[in-house]
Amino acid sequence: MSKKWLIAVTGTFTHLLLGTVYAWSYFQNPISESAGWSNAQTAWAFSLSIFMLGVTSAWAGNKMSVYGPRRLSMIGGALYAFGYLVSGFALAHRYLFLLYFGFGIMGGIGLGLAYVAPVATVSAWFTHKQGLATGMVVMGFGFGALVMSKFLAPLLLRLSDGNLSTTFYYVGAVMIVLIPVLASFLQLPKPDKTHEKKLERISIARHIQSKPFIVVWLIFAINIVAGMIFISFQSPLLQDILKMRMSDGTNFSDGETMASLAAAGATLIAVSSVFNGMGRFAWGSISDKIGRMYTFRILLALQAVIFGLLILVHHPVVFSVLVCIVLLCYGGGFGVLPSLTKDMYGSKLMPSLYGAFLTAWSMGGIIGPQIVAFMKDNYAEKAGLFAFVVGGGLLIVGFFTSFLYRRKDVINLEN
């Protein structure tokens, strides 16, 4: 195996472990019910994690040339692992703000430090087929929810006799061993020093304030909000639909019934994560052929239609299929963004501006989950309906916003 493909493979597996954060909805109901916290209170742990991921990614991308991808990813992986350990202690003693600190702030910072490095490193090694190469890496992140919801979490829950706190301790132990080992393979190719000095004179702020950057940031943020509505609450939303279809005399506090509902939710998380992962790879490859922005328009338009259908759907199987399509498109946004960023700004500025684009992930990570959490806490019976109306409206806005993008407005000194 060539060096660049070894880096691509280890980067993909690094993202696979980091992407376990996407299995949050697997834990949403159990944590909320066992601790007595509201949906909104519990969901803030996940929202904070994604918020810190995006903010820290912007910093890490800008510091890639200073600290290197290996160091950033190893430190980030360790912080993500310690976040689980702190969260385990928080769950054991029902300390909500400690859960926010552990899973949200510490874990989110770790994710942000470790996320950009594999993508930027692989992008630097692969001068051709950018969408395919970087799409493969971020595909690993999408598959993380599958690994957690169907393999890691069920196994560790059995080992801990169903104790959530102990399960989080076990997850932290796994992460602190595996992520630093995989991240140790990351290494950037030797830079062109002459070209590097030329590019260092460019103000990153100049690009961030430009119209093309703002347009891409907005449509990426809207794509994130749509996906986060389901990543954070797909299991509870599916369980709500299943409860409506059950007989009125069903005891939903019965252990067997609860286990059945949780298993259905876990299955949807696992299956949808496959679509999330494949979307990153497939849409990234497609964008190599049809263009990055055209691909984004397809993603936004398709999801707008799906959200319209979700307003009318009350069948669990149809609901699950539509969720999978949304996450296929959600993952597609992550598959297209790295290559779009490199097309716009060149390989040297790619890490910094890619990290800046990921601050949209921060916003989406707060808005998406909190839309559903608010609806479930205040309009329980129509939570899904109201959330889908809001999400669909945003997607329509994103689609029309994409037409404000003009490639000729982008300044790229490498072209």
Side-chain angles (χ1 to χ4, degrees), residues 15 23 34 112 129 161 165 186 215 235 254 265 292 329 334 349 358 368:
H15 263 218
S34 63
K129 296 184 178 180
D161 294 324
S165 174
L186 297 178
V215 169
S235 179
D254 175 69
R292 318 300 183 192
C329 297
F334 284 94
L349 294 181
L358 291 180

Side-chain angles (χ1 to χ4, degrees), residues 220-281:
F220 184 58
I222 289 172
N223 197 63
I224 296 294
V225 170
M228 282 295 169
I229 285 175
F230 295 108
I231 287 174
S232 58
F233 275 94
Q234 59 182 308
S235 179
L237 288 172
L238 175 61
Q239 292 182 48
D240 287 345
I241 292 176
L242 290 170
K243 288 176 182 178
M244 287 191 294
R245 295 180 65 85
M246 291 179 176
S247 62
D248 293 337
T250 303
N251 179 12
F252 294 116
S253 62
D254 175 69
E256 186 175 341
T257 303
M258 291 177 65
S260 176
L261 291 170
T267 298
L268 177 57
I269 294 170
V271 174
S272 66
S273 74
V274 173
F275 281 82
N276 184 354
M278 290 305 299
R280 295 162 186 252
F281 180 76

Side-chain angles (χ1 to χ4, degrees), residues 337-348:
L337 185 65
S339 47
L340 174 59
T341 306
K342 189 171 182 179
D343 287 350
M344 291 172 68
Y345 302 112
S347 57
K348 174 58 184 174

Side-chain angles (χ1 to χ4, degrees), residues 114 150 224 334 346 386 401:
K150 297 303 288 186
I224 296 294
F334 284 94
F386 292 160
T401 300

Side-chain angles (χ1 to χ4, degrees), residues 17-24 46 49-50 53 80 84 103 111 141:
L17 294 174
L18 297 174
T20 53
V21 70
Y22 272 175
W24 173 258
F46 178 68
S49 179
I50 301 302
L53 191 170
Y80 181 53
Y84 269 102
F103 194 89
L111 287 168
F141 200 91

